[in-house]
Structure formats: C-alpha cells, structure tokens
C-alpha cells in the first residue's frame, strides 16, 4: 500500500491538473470501488471547481466551491493518470501492480476538467474509494474522526511524542503505526525512522516519556528523524516497491536510501556499524532492524 510520501507525491502531481479547474464531466464505469460511490456522485462533482488539494494522512482531499470536499484513497493499487491537452500523459505518483499500466479495464473513474486535462482513476484491486463530505464536517467524518497528528506538521514535537506514548506498554513499532496517535505513518518509514533514531522496535512506547511526562532524549531523536525520513522520501518521489513513477516519468528513488527495510542479511546502513539487518514479525507485519545499533528494550 502506498504510504504517506507516495500519497504526497500524487498530490503534488495532481494539483496542477485539478486546482482552479472545473469538473466538466465525470464518468463512473462501475457503481462502486471498495465502497459504493455517494449518491449522485458524478452530478455533485460536475460544474464544481477544485479550490485546493490537500493530504490528510494517506488521504487526498480536494476542496470544492460547493462547500463539499472530495475524499480520495488509493487503497493498495489505485493510481491516477493525467492526459493533458497537448497530448502528454502523466502518471502522478504512479503506484500500481506490475503489468497494470495501460489496462483500460481498470479505469473506473474518468474526470474531464475545464482546463482540458483528463484525470483517470485506475485501480486493479479496487481497495481505493472516493467520498463527498461537507467541508466543515471533515474532521468529524468517518474518515478522519479520531485521527492522530500529522507527522509532517509542526504538531509532531518531542513533547507530543511523550504525551501520546506516556505509560503505554505497547511495542514502539506498533504505537507508531497506530493512526489514532500519529496519522499516516506506515511500515516502511517507521522501520527506517526507528533505525535512524537507534531505537529497538520492541521497546515499550512509554519509555519515550519520563515519569513526569516530559520527553526523553529518545523521544527527541525520534520526533526529529520521523520528519527527516518523510521529507527525504517526498523529495525522492517515494519508493519503488513494484513499479512506481511520478509526474516526469521517473521512478521514486527513496528505496535506494533504505537502511533496513527489506535488507535482511545485509550490512547495516549506519556509519561505523558492523551489524547486519534482521527481521521479526510484529502484529503480522515484517519489521526490519539492526540488532547491533538499535538499542535492545530494557525492563
């Protein structure tokens, strides 16, 4: 599943085609994706102008001049293709299963924009979805109610980390993947951030806070590197796990900077470390780490 940097790359690629443009025509080629489309979905979009395009965790949110917002989630295999009036075809943040590109039978939503661009949503597995929600009620919608802080915002501080994880006996890796605490973090970038911070994935999350609730040095390191890892990944255009490309047709490159993810048996990527990367399973997910430089949990 595409993680936050991949979704942010999609947002950056889609914005020029959508923001400030009007939906001239919307074609639905099936009644549903993961969920049924909202009532009168195409009708409610047609004639409306996109005022802005934001990202919340792994969701795209397009504000409309109707007072509603179009919420889009890529699921596991969703992707957008943009056909421009000059004949060029772009794939902003292409993240799809190998062999899916160009297979029109998976083109489920076609949006013709007033600027001449055509935006097509393609989804092989149909785990993605779209919804329309009144903009003032976004925070209370079923998608965002109870969602945690944004890891690329100023809200992610060492104080926030200590406050969120205080007294939690949950393993740190699991706590970081809890979308009710920090929204948008996924398996790849959590593994990478924990390695950079020198923290073992099995340590208790509560160890990031002192008894009085103030952050420990570990919390300060973690808050810093989470932002650094995500920012670097966005700048690199995301990670190529199957076949990922962004608007200029190039591949996302952050996978070349992986220090631990999917590198079992390889030398640790930390400067001066002679350890090798190991793998454990936590809550059904693979966790990659270096047992030499990532601090073992203490009781």
């Amino acid at each position: 599943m595409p993680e936050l940097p991949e979704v942010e790359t999609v947002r950056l690629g889609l914005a020029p085609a959508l923001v400030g443009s009007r939906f001239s025509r919307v074609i639905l080629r099936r009644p549903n994706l993961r969920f049924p489309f909202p009532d009168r979905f195409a009708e409610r979009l047609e004639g409306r102008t996109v005022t802005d395009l934001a990202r919340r965790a792994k969701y795209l949110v397009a504000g409309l001049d109707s007072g509603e917002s179009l919420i889009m989630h890529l699921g596991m295999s969703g992707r957008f293709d943009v056909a421009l009036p000059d004949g060029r075809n772009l794939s902003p943040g292409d993240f799809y299963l190998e062999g899916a590109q160009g297979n029109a039978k998976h083109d489920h939503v076609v949006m013709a924009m007033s600027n001449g661009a055509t935006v097509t949503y393609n989804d092989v597995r149909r785990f993605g979805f779209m919804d329309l929600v009144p903009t003032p009620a976004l925070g209370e919608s079923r998608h965002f109610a109870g969602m945690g802080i944004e890891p690329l915002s100023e809200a992610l501080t060492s104080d926030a980390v200590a406050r969120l994880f205080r007294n939690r006996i949950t393993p740190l890796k699991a706590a970081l993947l809890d979308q009710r605490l920090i929204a948008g973090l996924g398996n790849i970038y959590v593994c990478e951030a924990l390695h950079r911070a020198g923290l073992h994935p099995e340590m208790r999350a509560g160890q990031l806070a002192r008894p009085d609730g103030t952050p420990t040095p570990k919390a300060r390191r973690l808050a810093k590197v989470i932002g650094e890892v995500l920012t670097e990944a966005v700048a690199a255009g995301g990670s190529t796990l199957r076949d990922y490309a962004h608007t200029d047709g190039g591949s996302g490159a952050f996978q070349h900077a992986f220090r631990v993810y999917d590198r079992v048996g390889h030398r640790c990527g930390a400067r001066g470390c002679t350890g090798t990367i190991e793998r454990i399973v936590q809550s059904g997910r693979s966790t990659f780490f270096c047992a030499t430089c990532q601090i073992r949990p203490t009781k």
Side-chain angles (χ1 to χ4, degrees), residues 4-5 150-153 156-157 161 165 172 176 182-185 189-190 192-194 196-197 199 208 219-233:
L4 185 153
E150 277 286 325
L152 277 178
S153 72
L156 185 64
T157 63
V161 169
F165 294 167
L172 181 54
L176 287 168
I182 302 175
L185 291 181
Y189 300 104
V190 167
E192 293 296 312
L194 286 174
R196 291 196 189 190
L199 302 177
L208 296 180
R220 294 190 180 94
R221 291 202 307 272
L222 184 59
K224 181 175 182 288
V225 300
I226 286 174
E228 290 175 348
V229 167
L230 294 177
T231 298
E232 290 174 21

Side-chain angles (χ1 to χ4, degrees), residues 142-158:
R142 64 189 178 97
H143 308 292
F144 303 132
M147 185 174 282
I149 63 175
E150 277 286 325
L152 277 178
S153 72
E154 295 180 355
L156 185 64
T157 63
S158 57

Side-chain angles (χ1 to χ4, degrees), residues 18-273:
L18 292 182
V19 177
S21 187
R22 185 181 69 256
F23 291 99
S24 298
R25 189 182 181 196
V26 176
I27 300 172
L28 306 181
R29 291 181 171 164
R30 57 177 303 108
N32 64 299
L33 294 171
R34 182 177 178 183
F35 308 113
F37 288 106
D39 290 341
R40 302 170 39 251
F41 182 66
E43 181 183 341
R44 288 158 67 184
L45 286 178
E46 289 178 351
R48 297 303 177 184
T49 298
V50 178
T51 57
D52 62 89
L53 183 62
R55 177 195 52 76
R56 177 70 166 112
K58 301 175 188 178
Y59 295 77
L60 294 170
V61 183
L64 309 177
D65 65 353
S66 62
E68 290 188 304
S69 286
L70 169 61
I71 298 173
M72 298 170 282
H73 195 285
L74 298 174
M76 295 184 69
S77 59
R79 48 175 287 218
F80 287 96
D81 292 323
V82 179
L84 300 177
D86 61 8
R88 288 184 297 149
N89 292 284
L90 305 180
S91 297
D94 237 355
F95 199 103
Y96 54 89
L97 293 175
E98 187 174 353
Q101 186 178 25
N103 194 336
K105 74 178 183 179
H106 302 299
D107 290 346
H108 304 308
V109 182
V110 181
M111 306 171 179
M113 308 305 296
S114 61
N115 60 7
T118 299
V119 178
T120 302
Y121 179 72
N122 179 291
D123 194 342
V124 176
R125 295 185 176 180
R126 297 201 309 273
F127 282 0
F129 60 85
M130 298 185 185
D131 199 2
L132 282 169
V133 173
T135 300
L138 274 174
E140 293 74 46
S141 71
R142 64 189 178 97
H143 308 292
F144 303 132
M147 185 174 282
I149 63 175
E150 277 286 325
L152 277 178
S153 72
E154 295 180 355
L156 185 64
T157 63
S158 57
D159 287 333
V161 169
R163 172 178 52 81
L164 291 170
F165 294 167
R166 184 183 184 186
N167 297 326
R168 291 183 180 270
I169 61 173
T170 308
L172 181 54
K173 165 83 180 299
L176 287 168
L177 291 175
D178 188 339
Q179 302 299 296
R180 298 167 297 179
L181 302 176
I182 302 175
L185 291 181
N187 197 38
I188 295 173
Y189 300 104
V190 167
C191 289
E192 293 296 312
L194 286 174
H195 179 260
R196 291 196 189 190
L199 302 177
H200 196 283
E202 293 180 315
M203 71 175 283
R204 288 184 289 109
Q207 290 180 277
L208 296 180
R210 295 188 176 96
D212 64 357
T214 57
T216 65
K218 295 175 183 178
R220 294 190 180 94
R221 291 202 307 272
L222 184 59
K224 181 175 182 288
V225 300
I226 286 174
E228 290 175 348
V229 167
L230 294 177
T231 298
E232 290 174 21
V234 171
S239 304
T240 301
L241 297 186
R242 286 204 168 108
D243 197 351
Y244 176 81
H246 43 76
T247 49
D248 63 3
S251 295
F254 191 75
Q255 75 279 5
H256 301 303
F258 285 170
R259 296 187 183 183
V260 293
Y261 188 82
D262 203 24
R263 297 188 68 243
V264 174
H266 289 266
R267 285 282 297 271
C268 174
R271 181 178 298 176
C273 181

